[in-house]
Amino acid sequence: MNGKKRNWTGVIAVSVAVALSLTACAPGSGSGPAASSGPVSKDVAGAGDVTLTVWDQNTDEGITDAQEKLNAEFSAKYPNVKIDRVTQSFADLKTTLKLALSGDNPPDVVQANQGYPDMGAFVQGGLIRSLNDYDGLYDWSSYYPESLLKINSFSADGKTWQGDNLYGISQTGEVVGIYYNKKILTQLGVEAPTSLDELEKDMAAAKAAGILPMAYGDIEKSPGIHLFGVVQAAIAGSDAVNKLVTGAGGAWTDDASVDAAKTIQDWSSKGYITEGANGVSRDDALAQFEAGQSAFYIVGTWKQAAISEAMGDDAGFTTLTPKDADSPVTTGGEGLAWAVTTGSKHPDVAAAYIDFINNADAAKTFIDENSLPSVIPADYTPKPGLETDVFDTYGKVTSSGGLVPYLDYSTPTFYDTLTSAVQQLTDKQVTPEAFTEILQKDYSGFIGSK
């Protein structure tokens, strides 16, 4: 293929990145989003020889395979473009991207995590450009539902999430749910849970049978967002969580969040989740589940391909419906946004690349690799089994409003605050009440400063 993939997973300049000031501007950028210096164009062939440097975190099985195929197809269509692909883990990308965007030679295209911690900071620093003009060329607003586009939008000053400026588009849909082992549930004589009460009864049955109820590893910290997000959504419901994350109302010390924290700490006390989870990697926990050593595993649909490959027809996927609700509510949305940096010397080529890897044909490529695209082709019928579970759930929660944003979008510092607090919660270093007070302190400080 015409392109090179470099894997920088685990190689991070932590001390430098931590010292980085996000108010620094990329070369040629100013405060807020950089507008194009002239008319935008679809003419990739006329751009001459271009090396397009692309940073992504599409490392999961299936998704990375689709990305490699799409890169090869783009370079075949445009032989004048060489793609220099740099892949990193999600955690490493969050650390290294801030430094790279403010340097003298930033990448052209990056995946930026949505919400205030990353995308908002990049917009404020003038590090990524508005894509409104390219939306006019490629008509992404007609292809994507408005709800997905708003997740990738900010005000021009980066201070208001879901504003009027589009800063990226996403190629994959994401639902965080509960994968389960069908053989184990049959052995226990229980059904796949659809409520929190049912899940807890199933986990109690597994524990009584000497089976680990839920494999869980949180050494990377991000799994804690998913664990708390699933439980909180199942208790609080979509309206309350949406208001919290968007700053529209409520408090993290409300009863629903306290109850969610109590539930998770209770699971840890009862041995429902892996003991010493803070020292266990998410990959080791996943391997434990895939080997049939636990009944459940909470993660997003980006692990669909890996779990399908490992477990075949033995794997199922479910989400939870809150009490007095008609449909499930869970955390998720879409994959990281593909954005064009203000330092790119080839924004037209970068935008054409983003369109190519996110369009309807690209969606079919992701489906072929057992992955969930952000927009499922209307004429596609999912394969029976896990794919049907995943695709049907995605359709159900997106159409009903049951897909609530990732909790770390809430404030610029909420990712670090929440992930550290969940580790303290499961390790019983803080009470559930103290846990929610930690979150509220971060949240109040940000809301009060807006």
Side-chain angles (χ1 to χ4, degrees):
M1 63 175 289
N2 182 17
K4 178 174 64 175
K5 174 183 175 183
R6 291 183 281 145
N7 195 319
W8 286 9
T9 302
V11 183
I12 52 177
V14 175
S15 59
V16 179
V18 170
L20 172 68
S21 169
L22 286 176
T23 58
C25 293
S29 68
S31 178
S36 60
S37 58
V40 294
S41 171
K42 288 185 177 182
D43 185 11
V44 176
D49 291 339
V50 172
T51 295
L52 201 68
T53 303
V54 177
W55 281 33
D56 71 71
Q57 54 91 61
N58 281 349
T59 59
D60 289 304
E61 181 179 336
I63 293 176
T64 193
D65 299 323
Q67 192 64 49
E68 286 289 294
K69 286 184 178 180
L70 292 170
N71 285 354
E73 291 171 3
F74 184 82
S75 291
K77 182 175 181 179
Y78 302 109
N80 60 309
V81 180
K82 175 184 177 182
I83 298 171
D84 184 6
R85 183 186 180 201
V86 179
T87 59
Q88 304 180 60
S89 70
F90 172 75
D92 288 356
L93 185 69
K94 279 182 66 68
T95 303
T96 59
L97 186 55
K98 300 171 185 178
L99 177 63
L101 290 178
S102 62
D104 294 332
N105 190 29
D108 299 281
V109 175
V110 299
Q111 278 191 301
N113 195 30
Q114 295 92 337
Y116 290 103
D118 294 312
M119 182 179 282
F122 299 158
V123 173
Q124 286 195 47
L127 303 175
I128 57 176
R129 77 185 307 283
S130 169
L131 298 181
N132 286 0
D133 47 1
Y134 288 112
D135 183 22
L137 275 184
Y138 294 104
D139 200 20
W140 296 320
S141 293
S142 294
Y143 179 68
Y144 287 94
E146 183 181 2
S147 59
L148 295 184
L149 292 172
K150 294 300 285 184
I151 294 174
N152 291 333
S153 300
F154 260 92
S155 59
D157 59 7
K159 294 182 178 180
T160 303
W161 178 45
Q162 298 190 11
D164 295 330
N165 289 272
L166 181 67
Y167 286 94
I169 56 175
S170 301
Q171 63 195 169
T172 54
E174 292 186 352
V175 179
V176 178
I178 304 163
Y179 288 89
Y180 59 91
N181 186 308
K182 293 181 181 179
K183 280 187 176 180
I184 290 179
L185 296 198
T186 298
Q187 174 187 335
L188 297 174
V190 299
E191 300 290 333
T194 58
S195 69
L196 189 60
D197 285 346
E198 290 177 4
L199 174 61
E200 291 194 300
K201 289 177 182 177
D202 289 356
M203 290 200 294
K207 183 68 176 178
I211 299 168
L212 175 65
M214 181 177 291
Y216 176 62
D218 195 29
I219 197 170
E220 300 88 351
K221 291 189 172 182
S222 59
I225 297 174
H226 306 145
L227 177 67
F228 185 72
V230 165
V231 177
Q232 183 199 42
I235 294 174
S238 60
D239 185 58
V241 177
N242 274 313
K243 286 181 177 178
L244 270 178
V245 178
T246 60
W252 290 90
T253 49
D254 289 345
D255 289 346
S257 293
V258 174
D259 288 346
K262 288 179 178 178
T263 297
I264 290 171
Q265 194 166 81
D266 186 51
W267 289 358
S268 180
S269 298
K270 291 179 177 178
Y272 286 0
I273 60 177
T274 304
E275 185 177 359
N278 293 343
V280 178
S281 74
R282 59 188 169 202
D283 286 344
D284 285 345
L286 175 59
Q288 191 175 30
F289 171 70
E290 291 176 338
Q293 296 172 10
S294 74
F296 301 106
Y297 182 70
I298 288 179
V299 74
T301 48
W302 55 88
K303 286 298 184 183
Q304 174 194 338
I307 292 173
S308 179
E309 175 70 20
M311 299 178 64
D313 293 338
D314 290 337
F317 182 79
T318 187
T319 48
L320 307 178
T321 301
K323 293 178 180 177
D324 302 321
D326 298 324
S327 56
V329 178
T330 193
T331 188
E334 54 190 336
L336 269 64
W338 289 91
V340 177
T341 69
T342 54
S344 175
K345 297 178 177 64
H346 312 286
D348 288 346
V349 178
Y353 171 77
I354 288 176
D355 179 70
F356 187 90
I357 64 172
N358 284 276
N359 63 23
D361 289 333
K364 295 175 183 177
T365 300
F366 278 92
I367 290 173
D368 290 342
E369 296 297 334
N370 290 320
S371 299
L372 174 67
S374 54
V375 180
I376 301 171
D379 60 351
Y380 180 71
T381 301
K383 296 185 291 290
L386 185 59
E387 183 173 278
T388 291
D389 286 352
V390 167
F391 281 44
D392 285 357
T393 298
Y394 182 63
K396 186 179 297 182
V397 295
T398 52
S399 63
S400 67
L403 195 60
V404 298
Y406 290 112
L407 305 181
D408 57 297
Y409 294 175
S410 302
T411 83
T413 53
F414 212 70
Y415 178 89
D416 291 333
T417 299
L418 176 59
T419 56
S420 294
V422 172
Q423 285 194 334
Q424 295 177 63
L425 180 70
T426 57
D427 200 36
K428 297 179 281 293
Q429 297 176 23
V430 295
T431 65
E433 292 79 9
F435 166 81
T436 60
E437 288 167 3
I438 292 171
L439 305 187
Q440 183 61 28
K441 182 178 179 180
D442 182 315
Y443 183 73
S444 296
F446 174 64
I447 295 298
S449 67
K450 290 185 68 176

